[in-house]
Amino acid sequence: MWYDGFLDPTPWQLIVVTLLLTHLTVVSVTVYLHRYSAHRALELHPAVKHAFRFWLWLTTGMNTREWTAVHRKHHACCETPEDPHSPRYKGLANVLWRGAELYKAEAGNAETLRIYGKNCPDDWIERHVYSRFPNGGAMLMLLIDLALFGAFGLSVWAVQMLWIPFWAAGVVNGLGHAVGYRNFECRDAATNLVPWGILIGGEELHNNHHTYPGSAKLSVRPWEFDMGWAWIRLLVLLGLAEVKRTVPVAHRVADKRHLDMDTARAILNNRFQIMAHYRSRVIAPQVRMEAARAEASVRHLFHRAKGLLARESSLLEARQQARIQSLLEQSQTLRVVYERRLALQQVWTRTSANGHEMLAAIRVWVHEAEASGIQSLCEFAEHLKTYSLRPAPSLA
C-alpha cells in the first residue's frame, strides 16, 4: 500500500534507520561544520566536503558560513553578553529549548558573518541552491522519507529535523556550559557531558574542546569516547582526510633536573594539563590532610574543596569566593598552596610573549615552591623541571 512506502519497514527497522540517518547528520556537523569549517583542525577531500554540505542541506537547512560564523563568535565572546548562546546571559532553559532559534537570530547579523564567516564555501551551488533555497533540502528530505517509509516517513523526518536543534544547539550549548565535569580550568564554564558520545558525536566533551578548540580530537582521558574522532580516523585511513592539529603531547624527561628554555616552552604549551596535575598532585592531597586535621565544626568546609580551590578565578561566584576565604582561614598550608596556584597561572598570563621572562618567572616560582616546605608542592616543583618539547631519547 502507498502508506507503507517502498521499503515497508517494521517498527524496529524504522527505529534503526532513523538512528542511522540522524547519526549521519551528527557526523556531518561535528566533522565538517565544527572541526573542519569552524576550526580548521583537519582537511577534507573536496568530494567529502560537498557530501557533508549536501546532507546538511537536506537534513538541517544549515548554511556553512552562518554556522561557522556563529560558532567562531561563541568562542571569541564566550560567557559574555556578546556570546550568541551563553546560558549565563541567555538563560539555561532558553538555550536548551530555543538553541536553534538563537543560532538563527545571530546568523542574521551581517557583522557577525563579515567578521567570523571568512573562508567558507561561496561557489555556484552555494549561492544558487543551498543559500537561495535553505528550506528546499528539508522539503526534499520529507518527500524522500514519505516515499521510502510511507506515512511513518513523517515521523522519521520530524526526528531528523529536531535532532540537531535539540542535541547540539540545546544540550551541548546549554548543559555543556552548566553541568558536568571539567578536565581543565579554561576561562569559560564549558563542561564535559557523558555518556552521550554516539548521540552527539563527541561534542559532549565540551570542556576539552573549549580548552583546545583547534584539536581534531575531543577526548583526552582513556575512558572518554569521541565518535567524531573515530570517523575522522576512518576518513584518514581512506585517504579522504588529513589531521592538522590535536591536543599537544606533554613530553617529560624523567631524569631532567634543571629549568631551561625548552622547559619554559613546554610548560606554556601544556599549561592546562599542568594545572590539572596541580589540582590532583598538590591541592587534592593537601585538602585531604587538612580535612583530617580540622575540627568537626568546620570539616564541612572541606567538602568538594579540591574542585573549588582549582576553579578558574573568573568563574567564581561571590558565595564560592567567601567559602574559599573561610577555607584559607582554617589552614595556612592551604593558603600557600592556593596562592602558589594563582601565581603559577600568572607566569604564562604575564610573560608568555617573552620566553626569557617566562623562564625567569618559572625559576622564581619553583624556588618559592621548594622554600615552602610543603612536600606536595616541592614534589610538583621537581615535576615541572622534567617537561620538554621533545620526548626522551630512545635507549634502543
Side-chain angles (χ1 to χ4, degrees):
M1 299 294 290
W2 66 267
Y3 48 78
D4 292 326
F6 290 124
L7 298 181
D8 189 18
T10 65
W12 279 111
Q13 288 173 334
L14 203 63
I15 291 172
V16 171
V17 168
T18 302
L19 290 175
L20 288 175
L21 292 175
T22 53
H23 181 70
L24 182 55
T25 304
V26 167
V27 174
S28 301
V29 170
T30 188
V31 174
Y32 170 70
L33 280 181
H34 193 189
R35 308 186 204 199
Y36 164 72
S37 184
H39 295 291
R40 289 298 194 270
L42 71 155
E43 185 55 67
L44 294 170
H45 189 280
V48 175
K49 285 188 280 191
H50 191 262
F52 282 141
R53 283 167 65 195
F54 177 67
W55 185 254
L56 287 167
W57 179 66
L58 284 177
T59 58
T60 68
M62 289 191 298
N63 175 278
T64 299
R65 185 181 180 217
E66 292 176 355
W67 194 97
T68 298
V70 173
H71 184 73
R72 286 173 177 169
K73 184 173 182 179
H74 166 61
H75 277 272
C77 307
C78 195
E79 315 298 4
T80 72
E82 296 300 312
D83 188 336
H85 43 71
S86 169
R88 175 177 292 187
Y89 292 94
K90 305 293 185 182
L92 177 57
N94 197 33
V95 175
L96 182 59
W97 300 111
R98 298 181 58 248
E101 295 177 42
L102 295 175
Y103 259 104
K104 187 175 181 180
E106 189 62 39
N109 185 337
E111 193 68 4
T112 296
L113 299 183
R114 183 186 69 81
I115 297 174
Y116 299 103
K118 294 179 173 62
N119 301 317
C120 290
D122 190 30
D123 51 16
W124 185 93
I125 196 169
E126 186 70 39
R127 295 191 303 273
H128 294 86
V129 180
Y130 299 154
S131 296
R132 187 175 180 182
F133 304 105
N135 297 321
M139 293 301 99
L140 179 58
M141 190 77 250
L142 174 60
L143 294 177
I144 294 173
D145 286 339
L146 289 174
L148 293 177
F149 311 119
F152 287 111
L154 183 61
S155 298
V156 174
W157 180 81
V159 172
Q160 285 181 283
M161 295 302 112
L162 292 174
W163 199 263
I164 293 300
F166 176 70
W167 286 111
V171 171
V172 172
N173 291 333
L175 297 182
H177 282 263
V179 299
Y181 70 96
R182 287 165 66 87
N183 285 329
F184 308 106
E185 286 301 319
C186 55
R187 292 187 64 82
D188 56 65
T191 61
N192 292 328
L193 306 171
V194 288
W196 308 111
I198 294 177
L199 296 179
I200 324 178
E203 293 294 316
E204 76 286 355
L205 299 171
H206 209 49
N207 172 252
N208 298 351
H209 170 60
H210 270 255
T211 304
Y212 298 103
S215 174
K217 182 182 179 182
L218 305 188
S219 58
V220 296
R221 292 193 178 189
W223 49 267
E224 291 174 340
F225 177 60
D226 178 7
M227 176 61 80
W229 177 246
W231 278 101
I232 290 171
R233 295 301 300 161
L234 176 61
L235 290 172
V236 169
L237 185 65
L238 297 174
L240 299 174
E242 179 186 358
V243 174
K244 297 293 186 182
R245 292 182 302 277
T246 57
V247 173
V249 176
H251 296 300
R252 295 180 58 231
V253 179
D255 58 351
K256 190 168 181 285
R257 291 292 181 269
H258 64 282
L259 294 164
D260 52 24
M261 192 61 71
D262 184 61
T263 313
R265 294 194 182 103
I267 288 175
L268 177 63
N269 202 38
N270 298 285
R271 58 194 181 278
F272 291 107
Q273 295 103 313
I274 286 172
M275 294 312 298
H277 290 158
Y278 190 88
R279 177 179 59 192
S280 60
R281 292 168 177 255
V282 182
I283 295 177
Q286 209 58 54
V287 166
R288 287 194 295 268
M289 290 174 59
E290 297 302 308
R293 297 171 183 168
E295 297 179 2
S297 60
V298 296
R299 200 164 292 160
H300 66 281
L301 292 173
F302 294 86
H303 181 60
R304 295 185 177 178
K306 178 188 75 171
L308 188 61
L309 293 174
R311 183 77 165 171
E312 162 62 36
S313 302
S314 63
L315 300 176
L316 291 171
E317 300 174 359
R319 60 180 179 80
Q320 293 173 318
Q321 293 173 344
R323 187 180 166 203
I324 287 176
Q325 289 306 312
S326 298
L327 269 170
L328 302 186
E329 289 171 3
Q330 299 299 320
S331 168
Q332 178 60 27
T333 302
L334 274 186
R335 180 179 293 277
V336 172
V337 165
Y338 183 69
E339 290 175 349
R340 288 292 84 207
R341 194 214 97 193
L342 297 179
L344 184 56
Q345 286 183 308
Q346 289 298 313
V347 167
W348 46 73
T349 300
R350 294 179 177 176
T351 65
S352 59
N354 188 310
H356 293 286
E357 287 184 4
M358 184 175 179
L359 177 57
I362 292 173
R363 283 173 173 163
V364 170
W365 190 93
V366 166
H367 173 74
E368 293 177 350
E370 291 173 335
S372 70
I374 301 172
Q375 183 179 351
S376 60
L377 202 49
C378 294
E379 291 173 353
F380 186 80
E382 288 298 308
H383 174 82
L384 277 185
K385 297 175 185 178
T386 65
Y387 276 90
S388 173
L389 285 175
R390 295 168 288 276
S394 174
L395 298 178

